[in-house]
Amino acid sequence: MSQARQQLAEQLAEAVSQALHEDLTHHERALLVVSGGSTPLPFFTALAAKPLPWARVDITLADERWVDEHSSDSNAKLVREHLLQGNAAAATFLPLTCDAETPEEGVEHVAKQAALLAWPASAVILGMGGDGHTASLFPDSPELTLALATGEPLVAVRTPSQLQPRITFSADRLHQARRHFLHITGEDKRAVLAKALNGDDVRQLPIRAFLSCPLAIYWAP
Ligand SMILES: O=C1O[C@H](COP(=O)(O)O)[C@@H](O)[C@H](O)[C@H]1O
C-alpha cells in the first residue's frame, strides 16, 4: 500500500466520521452505505478505529454479488472482516443477500430489510470500475435503464461482463443520501473519471449519474 493511498483512506475516514458525528447530533441513528471491491480496505480499517457511537450506526452496501457470505467475492465478507472491527463492531450491518437462490427471488426480501434502515443515508461511498461502473450499475447490463430510472430501492442485475448475478441499490436511492464520496486509486481510474467528466452519456459510463450529486472525489495514484 503506497503512502498516498493510505493517507487518502485516512482522510476519507476522517470526512465520513465527521459526517456521521454531525448526523448523530440531530438523529437517533445514522446510515452509512459503502462499496465493495479492493479499494476500500484501508478506508474500512481507518474508519473502524474512529471513536463514534457505533451502536447508533447502520451500515449496508451499495451493491453485492449474489454469492455466499463466506465466498471471497462477497462484499459483506469484506465489510465484516475489515470494517465491523474494534469500535465499529457495535454497528448494525445489513448484508444485501438472503437465502433465496437468485437476486430476482431475493430482492423483495432484502428491500423489506433495507426499509428498516435510517434513510436517507448520511453518506454513500462509491467505488468505480475500469468500465465506469459504480455500485452494480454496469454499462453492459440489461437492467441498467431500470436501475437508473426506478424509484424502487434495489434492483437484481445480470451483466454479461460479470461472473455472478448481483443486487444493487438504484441510482435514485443512492442519490437520496446526504453526502456522496467517490474513492478511487490509480492512473487508469483517473483516466476513466476524466473521460466521464468530459461527456454526458450515463449508459456509456454509469459513474456519470453521480457526478453532480455533489460528489467529493478522493483519488490517489
Ligand atoms: O464490482 C465492484 O467493483 C467496484 C470497484 O472495485 P475495485 O476492486 O476496483 O475497488 C466496487 O465499487 C463495487 O462495489 C464492486 O461490487
Side-chain angles (χ1 to χ4, degrees), residues 35-40 63 65 75 127-129 133 135-136 138 166 189:
S35 288
S38 52
T39 310
D63 68 310
R65 298 170 181 88
N75 286 338
M128 185 185 73
H133 86 264
S136 281
F138 287 89
R166 291 172 173 240
K189 289 196 181 176

Side-chain angles (χ1 to χ4, degrees), residues 2-155:
S2 74
Q3 206 185 336
R5 290 186 183 191
Q6 184 58 38
Q7 201 176 10
L8 180 79
E10 284 164 19
Q11 286 168 338
L12 177 58
E14 181 57 29
V16 171
S17 164
Q18 278 179 21
L20 291 169
H21 258 305
E22 196 178 311
D23 288 359
L24 286 167
T25 61
H26 304 293
H27 305 279
E28 186 45 40
R29 301 195 66 78
L31 172 62
L32 174 64
V33 180
V34 297
S35 288
S38 52
T39 310
L41 297 193
F43 159 67
F44 287 167
T45 306
L47 185 61
K50 296 289 179 192
L52 284 159
W54 283 104
R56 292 167 55 207
V57 176
D58 296 327
I59 299 173
T60 193
L61 285 156
D63 68 310
E64 179 63 288
R65 298 170 181 88
W66 201 262
V67 293
D68 186 275
E69 259 205 46
H70 300 291
S71 159
S72 57
D73 289 329
S74 164
N75 286 338
K77 181 176 156 78
L78 285 182
V79 168
R80 290 193 195 283
E81 290 179 354
H82 297 272
L83 178 52
L84 301 177
Q85 298 289 327
N87 299 330
T92 300
F93 175 55
L94 178 76
L96 295 185
T97 54
C98 66
D99 289 342
E101 289 263 313
T102 66
E104 290 80 6
E105 290 168 299
V107 66
E108 199 179 318
H109 175 79
V110 179
K112 277 189 186 143
Q113 301 297 309
L116 304 175
L117 299 173
W119 301 99
S122 290
V124 169
I125 321 302
L126 294 170
M128 185 185 73
D131 58 357
H133 86 264
T134 191
S136 281
L137 308 176
F138 287 89
D140 64 335
S141 162
E143 297 86 4
L144 179 62
T145 304
L146 174 67
L148 290 171
T150 185
E152 293 296 321
L154 286 152
V155 178

